[in-house]
């Protein structure tokens, strides 16, 4: 009761209604109530199973406010120590409190309401039943949370006991977490549950089914459920046939329901940026002088990537200067020339011509291998370990050297041709370099495209930039105060993205100590972050089982993809930029069309989390590596041809996924108890894989 | 740790059984046996901390016994210190909106390695020379070798030169300005004159400086640098095959 008053007072103060606030305060006789707005929510989290100890306490602890509240509590005895003392709450808690009091139905009748609805849905027509069954899970969770929030613990428990078995199997993990939340105090520490309570669960239902439901609920005895539906659910109505259970099952599973239609309507520039044309020096490689179109040898062949016969702008490609990108340095140009030469020798893959797989096994990795990355030209491999070290190996016979010290550098002849060799200090040559600096397990590593820098992100909340020329740490980017789960450099260098436990992904540039963009919107940790090949978009996969595509230019979320039934651990963009492949703990690999925002394929086969996904260099093969110790190759060309992507599908979500996982599977390659952590196609389409040998 | 050596559930104490049951309820099936011990220890430590705090609060309020409100208050105060949770969603959306409004900064061309300003980088030397007066009297005539990284010793005629750090410099260079004259094996240090220059130099040059060595003064032979100065606390010592002949541990004791 008092809490409501306090919340209302805060609300009035926030809306600058001073007089009403004074009147209310006087009437309710609340004295000395100096609740400063926007402070820290004093939370009480006493659940042993979910102890979230953070390494760095946030700097916003208002000691004086807590002490003040403490004194008030003493002075007025138990007048204020109600339900957790004086809580300096911020906005969502206020609204949550208010909303909780909106539908204070009789707690004992919740079970009646729910079983009544269940009965109605089970007796409805077959075609509607599948769609209306989508209501069960969100309603169940919201009703349970309400009972807990209003502190009707025993009713909540019996409600849970009775109905949790009816829910779909893929929600079982959530339900287990839910079963441990029995008191209101437990909820306060759990950000994901709070977000779930305050955000609207999206359901997509056809108009017929919706009207059936509405008619039933508006009869007076079911008003309570109708209130809950209106409050917590967002029903996206479409005109058309109701969806079948199979179609629905493919798309649901995330914590926020499905995606609204508007969420996937923004235009996305998924094309690739034009590669700059420059002259390839035709030195000694005369036999490769012919460019791919078979034209006679020219003195200056054009750079040809994916058949850039058209000079005009690809309508789906972003303008070149949409986001600022670093200019090409000479070393970059040399690299591109090398790339082209290698590309000419590339093996064309296909169902008849599968790539060879070279597996790098980390033996004796008792340190706990947690992250792996390989450079684009496959010359170096880095491993991030649970003992907070980052180890860099050279994969080629050329050893790793660090640059000479300043004194020696002044001695060398700067004009000589091999100055780049001379600046290297031979005495430091070794195959392995160990980088110390982090204070927690390293969860993500990424090489820069020019191989000068290495990024690593760790549980200590920082992202570190290491120089690969001196093998020392250059910068520590602090911003996430919670474990950072993944990081990646942009394909053009300079920018990098990181995602962590604080549910946001951040875009950084190497020369800014603060992030440039913050991508907030996920309901749970961001577990995987990847750049689009044109560097204008970022895909983030999260523990709330959705994948979001963000625009780098303005930070907006342009796509939401739902359908996975577990946290997402791997993402891969196809080389042409049009498709996205995602892998999660449910063992499925899902394929998405970015332009239309639809799921276009499902690859079943793995039995455990898919930790690594990679398309081959020209996009013909998709390789997936998983915790079940296998690497599987899938035919990407076939998966993406003949797609039914028209407006009807987009609007209604009537996807028809062909059950062709078996046909698309080109091969399964088993390792000997080594989970596959990373996959990489070399420039010539040899597949490299990496993992740490686990003895059981 | 082999999981086969777990204590059988029947002989485990009740607390351990409860903890194992909690883990099972939360869906955790595979864990090392140490986990139960660690969880029990954590639970014990947490509960005693809270109860101690609650006792303090209740005695401050002059109550005769600890009651639930004291415990609640204790929990609240502790949670803000240790169990912080990430910021709430609307706060994140708010700061995201603010950050995302600013346009992306343009990239300056031809600017070398793109790193934040020096104070945000980890490229500065992480040591500082101790002040010089202390050592003069006590260690006259003692041979000490400052632990320097290459590039630190200035030759006699030149004063420390300032160079900007480029991407290719080794991160650490000392600021020792002890001029030495290398004439064969033994030599003396011109302390008084150098000291002044060094002291003047030290406060004004906080950034990395590259001190050039006159290469003619350094040969492959033994180089003993006699100083009465302190040796620098070079934590980031690179391999200095030329310099490190004597490692005088006394220096570290006195520092």
């Amino acid at each position: 009761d008092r809490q409501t008053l306090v919340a209302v007072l805060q609300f009035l103060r926030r809306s600058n209604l001073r007089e009403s606030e004074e009147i209310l305060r006087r009437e309710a006789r609340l004295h000395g109530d100096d609740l400063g707005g926007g402070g820290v929510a004093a939370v009480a989290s006493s659940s042993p199973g979910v102890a979230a100890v953070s390494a760095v306490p946030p700097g916003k602890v208002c000691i004086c406010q807590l002490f003040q509240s403490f004194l008030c509590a003493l002075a007025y005895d138990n007048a204020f120590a109600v339900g957790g003392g004086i809580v300096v709450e911020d906005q969502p808690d206020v609204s949550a409190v208010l909303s909780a009091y909106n539908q204070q139905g009789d707690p004992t009748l919740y079970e009646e309401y729910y079983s009544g609805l269940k009965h109605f849905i089970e007796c409805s027509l077959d075609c509607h039943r599948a769609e209306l069954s989508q209501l069960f899970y969100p309603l169940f969770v919201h009703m349970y949370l309400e009972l807990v929030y209003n502190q009707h613990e025993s009713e909540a428990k019996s409600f849970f006991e009775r109905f949790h078995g009816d829910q779909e199997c893929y929600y079982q993990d959530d339900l287990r977490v839910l079963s441990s939340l029995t008191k209101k105090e437990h909820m306060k520490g759990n950000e994901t549950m709070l977000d779930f309570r305050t955000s609207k669960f999206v359901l997509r239902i056809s108009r017929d089914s919706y009207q059936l439901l509405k008619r039933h609920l508006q009869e007076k005895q079911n008003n309570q459920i109708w209130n809950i539906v209106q409050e917590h659910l967002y029903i996206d109505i479409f005109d058309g046939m109701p969806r079948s259970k199979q179609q629905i099952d493919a798309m649901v599973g995330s914590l926020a329901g499905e995606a609204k239609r508007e969420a996937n309507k923004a235009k996305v520039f998924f094309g690739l940026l034009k590669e700059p044309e420059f002259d390839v020096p035709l030195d000694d490689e005369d036999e490769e002088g012919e460019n791919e179109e078979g034209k006679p040898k020219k003195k200056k062949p054009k750079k040809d990537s994916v058949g850039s016969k058209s000079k005009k702008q690809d309508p789906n490609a972003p303008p070149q200067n949409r986001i600022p990108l670093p200019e090409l340095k000479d070393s970059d140009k040399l690299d591109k020339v090398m790339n082209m030469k290698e590309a000419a020798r590339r093996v064309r893959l296909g169902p008849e011509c599968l790539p060879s797989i070279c597996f790098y096994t980390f033996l004796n990795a008792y340190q706990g291998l947690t992250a792996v990355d390989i450079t684009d030209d496959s010359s170096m491999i880095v491993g991030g370990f649970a003992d907070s070290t980052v180890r860099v190996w050279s994969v080629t016979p050329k050893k790793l050297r660090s640059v000479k010290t300043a004194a020696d550098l002044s001695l060398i002849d700067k004009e000589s041709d091999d100055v780049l060799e001379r600046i290297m200090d031979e005495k430091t040559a070794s195959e392995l370099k160990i980088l110390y600096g982090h204070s927690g397990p390293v969860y993500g590593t990424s090489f820069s495209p020019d191989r000068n820098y290495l990024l690593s992100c760790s549980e200590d909340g920082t992202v570190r930039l290491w120089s690969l020329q001196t093998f020392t740490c250059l910068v520590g980017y602090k911003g996430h105060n919670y474990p950072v789960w993944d990081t990646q450099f942009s394909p053009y260098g300079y920018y990098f993205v990181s995602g962590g436990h604080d549910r946001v992904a951040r875009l950084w540039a190497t020369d800014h100590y603060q992030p440039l963009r913050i991508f907030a919107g996920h309901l749970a940790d961001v577990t995987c972050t990847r750049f689009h090949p044109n560097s204008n978009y970022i895909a983030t996969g999260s523990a709330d089982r959705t994948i979001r595509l963000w625009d780098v230019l303005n930070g907006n979320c342009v796509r939401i993809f739902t359908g996975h039934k577990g946290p997402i651990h791997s993402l891969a963009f196809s080389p042409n930029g049009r498709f996205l492949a995602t892998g999660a703990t449910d063992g499925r690999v899902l394929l998405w069309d970015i332009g239309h925002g639809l799921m276009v394929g499902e690859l079943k086969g793995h039995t455990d989390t898919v930790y690594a996904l990679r398309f081959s260099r020209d996009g013909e093969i998709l390789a997936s590596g998983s915790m079940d110790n296998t690497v599987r190759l899938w035919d990407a060309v076939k998966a993406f041809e003949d797609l039914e992507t028209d407006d009807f599908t987009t609007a209604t979500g009537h996807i028809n996924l062909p059950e062709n996982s078996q046909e698309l599977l080109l091969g399964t390659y088993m390792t000997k108890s080594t989970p596959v952590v990373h996959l990489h196609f070399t420039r010539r389409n040899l597949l490299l894989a990496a993992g740490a040998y686990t003895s059981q | 740790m082999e999981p086969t050596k777990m204590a059988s559930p029947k002989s485990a104490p009740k607390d351990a059984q409860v903890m194992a049951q909690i883990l099972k309820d939360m869906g955790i099936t595979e864990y090392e046996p140490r986990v139960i011990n660690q969880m029990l220890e954590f639970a014990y430590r947490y509960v005693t901390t809270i109860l101690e705090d609650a006792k303090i609060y209740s005695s401050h309020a002059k109550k005769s016994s600890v009651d639930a409100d004291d415990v609640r208050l204790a929990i609240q105060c502790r949670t803000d210190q240790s169990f912080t949770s990430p910021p709430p969603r609307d706060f994140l959306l708010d700061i995201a909106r603010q950050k995302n409004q600013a346009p992306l900064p343009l990239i300056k061309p031809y600017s070398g390695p793109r790193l934040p300003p020096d104070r945000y980088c980890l490229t500065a030397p992480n040591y500082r020379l101790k002040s010089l007066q202390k050592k003069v009297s006590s260690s006259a005539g003692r041979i000490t070798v400052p632990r320097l990284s290459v590039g630190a010793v200035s030759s006699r005629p030149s004063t420390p030169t300032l160079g900007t750090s480029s991407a290719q410099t080794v991160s650490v260079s000392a600021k020792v300005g002890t001029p030495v004259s290398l004439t064969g094996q033994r030599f003396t240090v011109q302390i008084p004159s150098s000291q002044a220059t060094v002291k003047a130099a030290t406060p004004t040059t906080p950034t990395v400086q590259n001190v050039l060595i006159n290469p003619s003064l350094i040969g492959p032979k033994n180089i003993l640098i006699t100083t009465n100065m302190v040796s620098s606390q070079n934590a980031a010592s690179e391999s200095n095959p030329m310099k490190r002949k004597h490692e005088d541990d006394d220096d570290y004791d006195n520092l």
Side-chain angles (χ1 to χ4, degrees):
Chain A
D1 225 45
R2 205 158 277 281
Q3 222 181 353
T4 328
L5 283 170
V6 160
V8 171
L9 269 181
Q10 264 195 307
F11 178 73
L12 288 175
R13 173 178 308 150
R14 232 169 277 255
S15 327
N16 275 328
L17 304 167
R18 293 276 161 200
E19 287 191 320
S20 339
E21 195 200 354
E22 273 310 302
I23 294 174
L24 177 60
R25 189 193 287 265
R26 248 181 291 128
E27 289 207 312
R29 281 188 297 273
L30 288 170
H31 310 286
D33 218 6
D34 193 17
L35 305 171
V40 176
V43 296
S45 159
S46 56
S47 56
V50 284
V53 183
S54 85
V56 178
K60 290 199 335 176
V61 175
C62 310
I63 301 283
C64 51
Q65 272 176 337
L66 282 177
F67 204 70
Q68 209 162 14
S69 68
F70 165 56
L71 286 178
C72 289
L74 294 180
Y76 297 99
D77 206 3
N78 284 330
F80 290 155
V82 167
I86 295 185
V87 185
V88 183
E89 300 175 295
D90 38 12
Q91 197 63 32
D93 240 14
V94 172
S95 60
V97 167
L98 293 178
S99 74
Y101 284 87
N102 267 345
Q103 46 267 1
Q104 176 97 60
D106 188 354
T108 51
L109 290 181
Y110 274 36
E111 290 192 23
E112 306 275 328
Y113 300 147
Y114 189 86
S115 50
L117 181 70
K118 192 169 141 191
H119 180 77
F120 162 70
I121 290 179
E122 279 167 6
C123 298
S124 61
L125 292 177
D126 276 352
C127 57
H128 298 299
R129 193 181 317 144
E131 289 204 325
L132 294 177
S133 311
Q134 289 180 65
L135 275 168
F136 282 143
Y137 176 71
L139 269 182
F140 174 76
V141 177
H142 277 290
M143 287 170 85
Y144 177 78
L145 285 180
E146 248 180 56
L147 287 174
V148 166
Y149 203 86
N150 300 335
Q151 297 172 310
H152 303 294
E153 202 178 318
S154 53
E155 285 93 352
K157 278 202 182 121
S158 69
F159 182 77
F160 191 88
E161 285 302 307
R162 196 166 151 195
F163 294 118
H164 81 277
D166 300 332
Q167 309 303 325
E168 300 280 353
C169 53
Y170 38 80
Y171 290 126
Q172 288 309 319
D173 282 339
D174 282 349
L175 292 176
R176 200 182 300 123
V177 171
L178 213 57
S179 68
S180 70
L181 292 178
T182 47
K183 293 195 201 303
K184 187 170 156 209
E185 286 82 19
H186 296 168
M187 274 182 66
K188 283 201 193 147
N190 193 337
E191 287 300 325
T192 305
M193 277 303 144
L194 282 178
D195 284 351
F196 184 82
R197 237 184 100 72
T198 51
S199 64
K200 289 197 177 230
F201 194 94
V202 177
L203 294 167
R204 304 193 61 183
I205 300 188
S206 68
R207 192 175 291 279
D208 305 326
S209 315
Y210 177 66
Q211 281 176 350
L212 200 66
L213 179 72
K214 186 167 166 187
R215 221 177 307 132
H216 172 82
L217 288 182
Q218 276 179 335
E219 297 163 15
K220 59 175 172 28
Q221 69 264 29
N222 288 319
N223 232 358
Q224 186 57 34
I225 294 211
W226 178 240
N227 286 341
I228 296 178
V229 165
Q230 280 188 312
E231 177 65 33
H232 292 296
L233 269 62
Y234 179 94
I235 300 191
D236 199 13
I237 306 172
F238 63 89
D239 290 307
M241 288 265 301
R243 293 188 290 171
S244 70
K245 179 124 179 59
Q246 207 183 14
Q247 287 172 327
I248 294 176
D249 269 347
M251 299 281 287
V252 301
S254 90
L255 263 185
E258 296 185 51
K260 301 184 208 175
R261 251 173 308 157
E262 300 88 61
N264 282 350
K265 274 218 185 313
K267 178 161 172 59
V268 172
F269 294 106
F270 52 81
L272 300 174
L273 289 177
K274 256 188 159 28
E275 298 289 325
E277 297 189 1
F278 54 90
D279 307 331
V280 177
L282 279 183
D283 35 12
D284 45 324
E285 313 275 351
D286 269 335
E287 55 272 318
E288 279 143 15
E290 288 180 47
N291 55 14
E292 287 170 12
E293 280 131 8
K295 294 206 189 100
K297 240 186 335 185
K298 286 190 204 165
K299 259 296 181 185
K300 300 180 179 187
K302 275 201 304 246
K303 169 146 178 48
D304 190 18
S305 50
V306 202
S308 56
K309 298 188 253 314
S310 55
K311 280 276 195 182
K312 48 182 191 295
Q313 175 83 344
D314 178 5
N316 289 319
Q320 199 73 15
N321 52 1
R322 186 166 186 262
I323 61 166
L325 289 172
E327 85 281 0
L328 282 181
K329 299 205 274 265
D330 288 341
S331 51
D332 293 333
K333 292 187 181 150
L334 285 172
D335 206 37
K336 284 204 187 295
V337 169
M338 277 303 300
N339 202 349
M340 276 176 55
K341 288 190 185 154
E342 295 280 317
R345 295 208 198 97
R346 190 179 289 169
V347 176
R348 285 260 157 204
L349 298 175
E352 285 79 40
C353 177
L354 294 178
S356 309
I357 307 182
C358 177
F359 199 101
Y360 285 93
T361 311
F362 286 71
L363 296 173
N364 298 328
Y366 56 86
Q367 308 95 333
L369 179 70
T370 44
V372 173
D373 193 27
I374 303 179
T375 56
D376 192 60
D377 65 347
S378 321
S379 57
M380 288 190 283
I381 185 169
V382 64
F385 293 88
D387 66 349
S388 78
T389 52
V390 176
R391 291 167 199 246
V392 185
W393 282 271
S394 165
V395 167
T396 56
K398 183 164 176 256
K399 294 195 179 177
L400 300 175
R401 293 171 175 78
S402 60
V403 162
K404 286 180 181 160
T405 57
D408 296 340
L409 284 175
S410 62
L411 305 179
I412 63 176
D413 173 19
K414 293 184 186 55
E415 302 299 322
S416 64
D417 280 339
D418 58 346
V419 63
L420 291 174
E421 304 300 321
R422 292 187 184 211
I423 59 176
M424 293 300 174
D425 189 356
E426 287 304 318
K427 293 185 212 61
T428 60
S430 70
E431 283 202 1
L432 161 69
K433 295 273 186 198
I434 307 183
L435 303 171
Y436 297 99
H438 277 297
S439 51
V442 178
Y443 287 125
T445 47
S446 173
F447 280 109
S448 72
D450 55 6
R451 296 190 302 283
N452 285 334
Y453 299 118
L454 168 66
L455 276 177
S456 62
C457 69
S458 131
E459 179 261 347
D460 62 7
T462 60
V463 180
R464 281 185 183 245
L465 184 75
W466 310 83
S467 161
L468 290 175
Q469 287 165 334
T470 62
F471 292 99
T472 54
C473 185
L474 297 177
V475 194
Y477 299 96
K478 302 181 179 52
H480 299 275
N481 288 327
Y482 297 91
V484 188
W485 301 123
D486 196 13
T487 182
Q488 198 206 21
F489 252 113
S490 144
Y492 295 96
Y494 181 69
Y495 295 111
F496 61 94
V497 63
S498 64
H501 177 62
D502 55 355
R503 311 187 319 284
V504 302
R506 291 167 198 247
L507 177 79
W508 312 75
T510 51
D511 59 2
H512 287 78
Y513 61 96
Q514 285 187 334
L516 299 175
R517 291 281 180 265
I518 294 184
F519 305 115
H522 277 293
L523 294 176
D525 308 11
V526 175
T527 49
C528 190
T529 53
R530 286 285 176 270
F531 269 97
H532 188 279
N534 65 19
S535 195
N536 275 273
Y537 296 95
I538 287 171
T540 57
S542 157
D544 66 0
R545 285 114 52 191
T546 60
I547 299 111
R548 287 181 182 234
L549 199 67
W550 308 87
D551 189 346
V552 165
L553 186 65
N554 46 27
N556 295 337
C557 175
V558 294
R559 291 284 181 270
I560 303 181
F561 298 125
T562 63
H564 273 297
K565 314 282 191 274
I568 285 108
H569 282 289
S570 51
L571 298 170
F573 279 98
S574 66
N576 58 10
R578 289 178 57 197
F579 302 106
L580 177 64
T582 59
T585 54
D586 57 1
R588 292 149 72 220
V589 176
L590 297 180
L591 305 170
W592 312 86
D593 178 329
I594 297 174
H596 292 97
L598 287 177
M599 189 192 301
V600 295
E602 179 184 357
L603 304 173
K604 292 196 260 232
H606 281 294
T607 53
D608 207 337
T609 318
V610 178
Y611 264 122
L613 276 177
R614 195 63 77 119
F615 278 93
S616 65
R617 291 278 172 161
D618 293 316
E620 313 100 348
I621 301 240
L622 172 63
S624 62
S626 147
M627 292 281 290
D628 63 2
N629 307 337
T630 60
V631 175
R632 283 173 200 251
L633 299 177
W634 312 86
D635 187 347
V637 171
K638 197 157 161 207
F640 291 132
E641 65 184 0
D642 299 338
L643 292 177
E644 300 172 12
T645 49
D646 50 5
D647 284 332
F648 177 70
T649 327
T650 329
T652 61
H654 269 262
I655 48 170
N656 276 315
L657 295 176
E659 286 286 325
N660 56 357
S661 295
Q662 280 306 109
E663 298 161 17
L664 296 175
L665 178 63
L666 297 174
T668 307
Y669 303 92
M670 277 158 282
T671 69
K672 195 170 176 181
S673 70
T674 307
V676 182
V677 171
H678 187 75
L679 289 170
H680 173 82
F681 275 94
T682 65
R683 287 177 174 168
R684 298 200 194 180
N685 271 340
L686 168 70
L687 178 56
L688 303 179
Y693 177 69
T694 53
S695 50
Q696 57 265 24
Chain B
M1 300 282 159
E2 289 110 17
T4 54
K5 292 210 178 118
M6 276 199 297
S8 64
K10 290 190 194 54
S11 62
K14 184 160 174 297
D15 284 347
Q17 290 178 17
V18 168
M19 193 54 77
Q21 186 61 38
I22 293 177
L23 285 172
K24 195 167 107 167
D25 283 340
M26 294 304 288
I28 302 169
T29 47
E30 290 178 16
Y31 49 89
E32 291 182 12
R34 285 188 305 170
V35 171
I36 293 189
N37 293 0
Q38 282 179 320
M39 298 290 282
L40 284 173
E41 198 189 305
F42 166 75
Y44 180 79
R45 197 178 59 220
Y46 179 74
V47 171
T48 44
T49 319
I50 296 292
L51 287 178
E52 278 171 10
D53 284 353
K55 243 193 322 192
I56 296 176
Y57 296 147
S58 89
S59 70
H60 183 94
K62 297 188 183 42
K63 289 191 243 189
S64 54
S65 63
V66 180
D67 62 7
D69 299 323
D70 298 317
V71 175
R72 264 198 213 104
L73 188 63
I75 292 176
Q76 263 182 45
C77 292
R78 277 287 161 192
T79 317
D80 281 333
Q81 286 177 340
S82 13
F83 302 119
T84 50
S85 50
R89 191 161 172 229
D90 64 328
F91 175 75
L92 292 173
L93 289 171
D94 210 19
I95 56 170
R97 203 184 8 252
Q98 278 180 353
K99 262 276 178 228
N100 297 345
Q101 270 168 359
L104 289 172
L106 294 173
I107 306 177
K108 288 193 284 282
Y110 314 122
S111 52
R114 296 191 165 104
L115 294 177
D118 278 342
R119 57 184 289 245
Y120 300 106
C121 287
L122 303 170
T123 47
N126 54 358
Y127 60 88
R128 197 172 41 100
L129 286 185
K130 206 168 131 29
S131 66
L132 307 170
Q133 290 97 337
K134 243 207 229 169
K135 295 285 271 179
V136 174
S137 51
S138 60
S139 54
R142 193 159 59 115
I143 299 170
T144 64
V145 176
R147 194 179 278 255
L148 306 167
S149 65
V150 178
V153 181
S154 70
S155 53
R156 188 191 354 177
S158 62
T159 52
T161 56
L162 278 166
T164 54
S165 55
S166 64
Q168 283 153 350
T169 29
V170 174
S171 52
V172 182
S173 0
K175 285 184 297 195
V176 175
T178 55
V180 294
S181 54
L182 300 153
T183 57
Q185 289 86 8
R186 292 232 167 215
F187 36 82
T188 57
V189 176
Q190 299 172 1
I191 298 171
S193 57
S194 64
Q195 260 182 334
T197 56
V198 169
K199 275 206 285 222
T202 325
T204 56
T205 56
T207 57
V208 174
Q209 43 178 347
N210 304 334
V211 177
L212 297 180
I213 304 177
N214 192 332
S216 61
L217 298 179
I218 299 173
K221 305 190 273 291
N222 289 346
I223 298 166
L224 300 178
I225 304 167
T226 310
T227 69
N228 294 343
M229 315 291 189
V230 62
S231 53
S232 60
Q233 301 159 348
N234 191 347
S237 50
E238 308 279 353
S239 59
N240 300 322
M242 292 192 294
K243 293 275 180 221
R244 204 175 294 142
K245 294 296 173 190
H246 282 290
E247 299 193 335
D248 204 330
D249 290 340
D250 290 352
D251 286 320
Y252 293 96
D253 294 336
N254 290 338
L255 282 173

PDB file of all heavy atoms in Angstrom, chain A residues 72 532 657:
ATOM      1  N   CYS A  72      15.577   7.082   8.301  1.00  0.00           N
ATOM      2  CA  CYS A  72      14.127   7.219   8.307  1.00  0.00           C
ATOM      3  C   CYS A  72      13.494   5.962   8.854  1.00  0.00           C
ATOM      4  O   CYS A  72      12.549   6.011   9.638  1.00  0.00           O
ATOM      5  CB  CYS A  72      13.617   7.453   6.873  1.00  0.00           C
ATOM      6  SG  CYS A  72      14.025   9.067   6.254  1.00  0.00           S
ATOM      7  N   HIS A 532      28.450  -7.223 -40.893  1.00  0.00           N
ATOM      8  CA  HIS A 532      28.077  -7.554 -42.257  1.00  0.00           C
ATOM      9  C   HIS A 532      29.292  -7.277 -43.152  1.00  0.00           C
ATOM     10  O   HIS A 532      30.093  -6.417 -42.835  1.00  0.00           O
ATOM     11  CB  HIS A 532      26.900  -6.662 -42.652  1.00  0.00           C
ATOM     12  CG  HIS A 532      26.272  -7.030 -43.970  1.00  0.00           C
ATOM     13  ND1 HIS A 532      26.804  -6.633 -45.172  1.00  0.00           N
ATOM     14  CD2 HIS A 532      25.170  -7.749 -44.253  1.00  0.00           C
ATOM     15  CE1 HIS A 532      26.038  -7.097 -46.146  1.00  0.00           C
ATOM     16  NE2 HIS A 532      25.042  -7.771 -45.620  1.00  0.00           N
ATOM     17  N   LEU A 657       9.006 -24.182 -44.779  1.00  0.00           N
ATOM     18  CA  LEU A 657      10.382 -24.632 -44.851  1.00  0.00           C
ATOM     19  C   LEU A 657      10.416 -26.038 -45.418  1.00  0.00           C
ATOM     20  O   LEU A 657       9.787 -26.940 -44.872  1.00  0.00           O
ATOM     21  CB  LEU A 657      10.994 -24.646 -43.450  1.00  0.00           C
ATOM     22  CG  LEU A 657      11.124 -23.283 -42.798  1.00  0.00           C
ATOM     23  CD1 LEU A 657      11.645 -23.446 -41.401  1.00  0.00           C
ATOM     24  CD2 LEU A 657      12.047 -22.409 -43.603  1.00  0.00           C
TER      25      LEU A 657
END
